[in-house]
Amino acid sequence: MDTIFALATAKGRAGVAVVRLSGSDAVRAAERLMGNVPVSRGVRVLSDPDGQLLDEALVLRFEDGKSFTGEEVVELHLHGSPAVVSAVLTALGNDPELRQAEPGEFTRRALDNGRLDLAQVEGLADLIDAETEGQRKQAVRVFSGALGDLAEGWRKKLIRAAALLEATIDFADEEVPVDVAPEVLELIGEVKAQMRREAEGVRIAERLRDGFEVAIIGAPNVGKSTLLNRLAGREVAITSEIAGTTRDVIEVRLDLDGLAVTMLDTAGLRDTDDVVEGIGVQRAKERAAQADIRVHMLLPGDPEPRDVDRNDIIVRAKADLDRGEGLAISGKTGDGVDALVEKIADMLKERVGSVGIAMRERHRIAMVNAICYLDAAEADLDVQHGMTDLTAEELRSAIRAVDSLVGRVDVEQVLDEIFSSFCIGK
């Protein structure tokens, strides 16, 4: 396998920049820069093939099998100026035994060498992209191997169930002293119950990772844009006394108590003959319908909207002029805005409470497939109360679905998509 190199830290000026080499020629390539590579760590002077000084760097060496990639790795901790980094990368790029790493290639090698399973790779990608505390915590759980541990527990139980069934098949001509069906059904039931809980939490886990959406809706000039500007802390939406100023959906990304939330300022809802405004109103209705929470802004005295559900919050706007009844806010003065934010955060946290470990649609599909196979196996046992080759094969299919969670089988079609999100050097 080729020996690869790349900058492992962000581009630009910094106190320290790390360049990583991984592969069987990593140490030999590093020796051509410094003459002598430390056994574990040490400071070395780096020079190009012409003897020109490049930098003085801290050099770390990781033995084969003890590095992130599972290969021999050398890390060069350079002074983080763009000029130093460029000079070192140029010197490495001129080495015929090295090549520039592709996006995510270091992590791909960690997967290929058994240092990470596929779920951990996904957790690492999410950890790199995490913007809020909630996203960080969820990503760390997956990266630490929690999903792999859960899948391994399911796998062991299903292997036990399959082994019991296959024993009755192997000894079909002999008397089997114990009826294994009750234990098999119990094992299947335990796995199915856990899988269902995890599968049901995937949608919320995806929202936790990608961010929730909260739509601010109401009639024109009710104060939606003023509220959005107040929440954002800057002028992101045009405010005007002229009705219909907001024509499109305006989005602002916020961190609400550790949760990533996109606030949506929508066009004022009303009947209009203006074609462009009409398009904005239609878009507002569509985005509001898809949002996790809808904040209905009303003026004091306005009737509450019909068909309000648990995902809706009713607020009275322009509380600086007239507080009215119920939750009242003023985007202009900020009165009541903190209470609104707290209510939104509480509603979202209540949903996050149902999140398990699985957090991607791929995970949900694998678990749903496994549950289908287990349902079929259960049905065979209930109807026949006998052990058949078909029932055993259904259990083996369920095991393969569990294995796909962590990348033991059927992963090639998802690898390109996963690693495309990684930067070069990771």
Side-chain angles (χ1 to χ4, degrees):
M1 189 176 287
D2 294 342
T3 298
I4 57 175
F5 74 93
L7 176 65
T9 47
K11 293 182 179 180
R13 182 181 177 186
V16 176
V18 178
V19 172
R20 177 184 290 157
L21 297 84
S22 181
S24 58
D25 291 323
V27 172
R28 287 192 292 273
E31 286 175 343
R32 290 190 281 275
L33 286 181
M34 63 192 73
N36 171 261
V37 178
V39 174
S40 59
R41 69 187 64 195
V43 176
R44 295 291 187 271
V45 173
L46 309 183
S47 302
D48 66 16
D50 297 327
Q52 295 294 317
L53 177 66
L54 297 174
D55 194 20
E56 187 175 32
L58 171 64
V59 180
L60 304 183
R61 178 178 175 179
F62 301 88
E63 296 179 4
D64 186 16
K66 296 183 179 180
S67 69
F68 171 73
T69 63
E71 303 173 329
E72 198 163 45
V73 167
V74 176
E75 287 187 355
L76 311 177
H77 292 233
L78 311 169
H79 292 95
S81 83
V84 168
V85 172
S86 177
V88 172
L89 291 178
T90 298
L92 293 172
N94 291 332
D95 190 321
E97 296 187 14
L98 301 177
R99 69 168 174 82
Q100 176 84 27
E102 298 175 356
E105 190 168 3
F106 290 101
T107 306
R108 176 65 180 265
R109 293 191 177 196
L111 174 66
D112 292 340
N113 293 324
R115 302 291 289 178
L116 299 174
D117 62 39
L118 186 59
Q120 287 177 293
V121 170
E122 292 168 321
L124 177 57
D126 292 337
L127 184 59
I128 292 171
D129 291 336
E131 298 175 341
T132 69
E133 183 65 6
Q135 291 172 329
R136 182 195 66 80
K137 288 180 178 179
Q138 182 70 5
V140 165
R141 291 177 68 192
V142 179
F143 180 52
S144 67
L147 183 57
D149 293 341
L150 186 61
E152 184 60 27
W154 293 338
R155 190 173 190 272
K156 287 180 178 178
K157 289 180 179 180
L158 295 180
I159 287 175
R160 166 68 178 168
L164 290 170
L165 286 175
E166 288 166 358
T168 65
I169 296 171
D170 292 340
F171 298 99
D173 297 331
E174 304 177 23
E175 284 194 22
V176 180
V178 179
D179 180 8
V180 301
E183 183 177 353
V184 171
L185 288 170
E186 181 180 358
L187 290 168
I188 291 175
E190 290 174 359
V191 172
K192 280 176 56 180
Q194 292 177 353
M195 281 186 176
R196 283 202 172 100
R197 285 196 297 270
E198 285 293 327
E200 288 168 0
V202 166
R203 183 184 177 278
I204 299 300
E206 284 190 314
R207 298 303 265 175
L208 178 61
R209 186 183 75 242
D210 299 333
F212 294 94
E213 287 192 349
V214 177
I216 306 171
I217 60 178
N221 281 350
V222 75
K224 300 183 298 298
S225 298
T226 303
L227 173 60
L228 185 73
N229 290 340
R230 169 68 62 171
L231 292 171
R234 64 187 191 279
E235 294 290 324
V236 294
I238 299 173
T239 58
S240 168
E241 295 298 326
I242 301 174
T245 300
T246 301
R247 298 297 182 96
D248 207 347
V249 178
I250 300 173
E251 303 182 7
V252 174
R253 185 86 162 182
L254 302 176
D255 182 340
L256 292 189
D257 207 5
L259 300 177
V261 177
T262 299
M263 302 296 299
L264 309 175
D265 177 22
T266 61
L269 303 180
R270 66 169 180 175
D271 295 328
T272 177
D273 294 328
D274 187 305
V275 175
V276 176
E277 185 183 357
I279 294 173
V281 170
Q282 183 59 36
R283 287 182 179 178
K285 292 178 179 178
E286 292 172 355
R287 288 299 297 274
Q290 297 168 3
D292 298 283
I293 293 176
R294 289 169 291 279
V295 177
H296 294 265
M297 294 188 65
L298 307 175
L299 292 174
D302 285 349
E304 291 193 2
R306 291 175 291 180
D307 301 324
V308 174
D309 62 26
R310 60 185 297 271
N311 298 319
D312 295 282
I313 300 175
I314 308 298
V315 297
R316 298 291 173 178
K318 302 187 178 182
D320 53 311
L321 303 177
D322 183 350
R323 292 198 61 83
E325 298 180 356
L327 178 61
I329 64 167
S330 170
K332 184 177 180 179
T333 66
D335 183 25
V337 172
D338 288 345
L340 173 61
V341 169
E342 184 177 353
K343 185 173 181 62
I344 293 171
D346 287 344
M347 290 175 65
L348 294 178
K349 284 180 179 179
E350 183 179 349
R351 299 188 195 185
V352 170
S354 65
V355 171
I357 300 171
M359 58 188 301
R360 290 177 178 261
E361 180 65 10
R362 182 184 73 80
H363 303 161
R364 191 191 69 80
I365 291 173
M367 289 184 288
V368 168
N369 288 340
I371 290 169
C372 289
Y373 290 123
L374 295 178
D375 283 340
E378 257 184 344
D380 283 347
L381 288 174
D382 286 340
V383 171
Q384 301 180 158
H385 202 64
M387 309 307 136
T388 66
D389 290 335
L390 179 59
T391 307
E393 179 56 32
E394 286 160 350
L395 281 176
R396 286 191 288 270
S397 296
I399 292 169
R400 285 193 291 271
V402 171
D403 284 344
S404 71
L405 273 174
V406 292
R408 287 195 179 100
V409 295
D410 298 334
V411 297
E412 289 302 321
Q413 67 271 26
V414 301
L415 290 181
D416 289 343
E417 179 181 351
I418 291 172
F419 286 109
S420 67
S421 68
F422 279 80
C423 57
I424 294 174
K426 192 59 184 173

